[in-house]
Amino acid sequence: MAEIKLYSAVVCPYAHRTRLVLQEKGIDFDLIEIDLQNRPEGFTKVSPYGKVPAITHNDERVWESAIINEYLDEVFPNPPLLPSDPIARAQARIWIDFANTRFVSAFSDLLRSSDVQKQEEAKQQLYKHLEFIENEGLGKLSGEGPYWFGESISLVDLTYFPWFERWAALKEYRGFSLPAEFTRLKQWKHALKERESVKAIANSKEFYIQRYAKYVAPTPVGV
């Protein structure tokens, strides 16, 4: 029996983050799939918020993906997924926070809103976030390397990628493709897709289009 138990849901991008970290580090773990529409009795004893991901490590429990991932990086330090330099590590945490508080919100607002005006506002907001990532993130930090911090993959890369694997749902339901002008972002996405850790748990575009259909609020008829 593995030391780590991961409570996950295949459609959940937050759980996807933690699965990627476990794959990158080669950590043995037991995967427990949770039906988020029908959570098992007692699940809140593991995840008090009733959300995935959550892990148990021996007799301890940790929840919230960003916190889980830093915990795993500290307890299983090789290979490291945060920069060793304090300012670079601070920058990594800033970008993780940007994902959690801004980027993900705009992505979700666009996908889930049934109001055409709100969809348009979300598109504009998401475009601005992508532009900020292109110029302030990858443009200034990655140098000649394919990843956020250059040649070495980090928690920042793994924090964002699950939403980019799901981008087909935005294109299908909201007509929002990844803008062609963001060339560094496209190169970054391609580099991530080619990693063995990503390939090992990747799902197809069709999978996400089908799975997200029930989460997408329909656009009102006649609008």
Side-chain angles (χ1 to χ4, degrees):
M1 181 180 295
E3 292 181 14
I4 299 285
K5 290 183 180 179
L6 170 63
Y7 296 80
S8 179
V10 69
V11 77
C12 176
Y14 295 96
H16 192 171
R17 290 171 163 178
T18 297
R19 290 181 68 196
L20 287 172
V21 170
L22 291 164
Q23 292 285 339
E24 279 290 334
K25 288 183 170 287
I27 300 169
D28 186 30
F29 66 97
D30 293 329
L31 179 63
I32 301 167
E33 188 75 8
I34 299 296
D35 180 354
L36 295 174
Q37 306 304 314
N38 186 26
R39 293 171 177 81
E41 185 177 352
F43 179 54
T44 54
K45 292 181 180 178
V46 175
S47 177
Y49 298 168
K51 300 192 299 184
V52 294
I55 66 167
T56 58
H57 183 196
N58 295 324
D59 295 327
E60 301 297 334
R61 58 185 182 158
V62 187
W63 59 95
E64 291 294 290
S65 63
I67 297 169
I68 292 170
N69 293 349
E70 281 212 40
Y71 173 80
L72 291 171
D73 198 46
E74 291 177 3
V75 176
F76 302 93
N78 292 309
L81 292 176
L82 279 176
S84 58
D85 176 68
I87 188 61
R89 196 159 60 246
Q91 290 169 335
R93 289 177 172 136
I94 288 168
W95 283 107
I96 291 170
D97 180 74
F98 183 81
N100 292 340
T101 61
R102 291 170 172 78
F103 172 77
V104 171
S105 295
F107 185 105
S108 298
D109 287 347
L110 177 54
L111 193 60
R112 292 174 181 267
S113 177
S114 61
D115 182 273
V116 174
Q117 180 61 37
K118 289 183 179 179
Q119 287 177 18
E120 187 58 36
E121 291 171 0
K123 281 183 182 180
Q124 293 175 12
Q125 195 64 52
L126 185 54
Y127 184 92
K128 289 180 181 178
H129 293 338
L130 293 172
E131 186 176 45
F132 190 67
I133 290 168
E134 174 83 3
N135 297 325
E136 291 295 324
L138 297 170
K140 291 186 177 180
L141 298 176
S142 66
E144 298 300 317
Y147 307 116
W148 218 281
F149 286 94
E151 297 296 334
S152 298
I153 197 166
S154 74
L155 289 183
V156 180
D157 303 293
L158 304 181
T159 290
Y160 282 85
F161 183 75
W163 280 267
F164 286 88
E165 186 171 293
R166 289 157 174 77
W167 209 275
L170 275 189
K171 184 177 180 181
E172 175 74 13
Y173 297 114
R174 300 297 181 238
F176 190 83
S177 300
L178 192 59
E181 59 267 31
F182 298 143
T183 56
R184 294 298 295 268
L185 197 50
K186 284 180 171 286
Q187 292 168 4
W188 168 85
K189 181 182 177 183
H190 177 75
L192 266 290
K193 285 177 67 177
E194 293 303 309
R195 289 192 72 84
E196 291 304 316
S197 62
V198 172
K199 289 180 178 179
I201 59 173
N203 289 300
S204 68
K205 294 178 180 179
E206 292 74 22
F207 173 87
Y208 291 115
I209 289 170
Q210 181 181 10
R211 286 299 186 102
Y212 275 91
K214 63 182 178 181
Y215 296 103
V216 177
T219 300
V221 175
V223 175

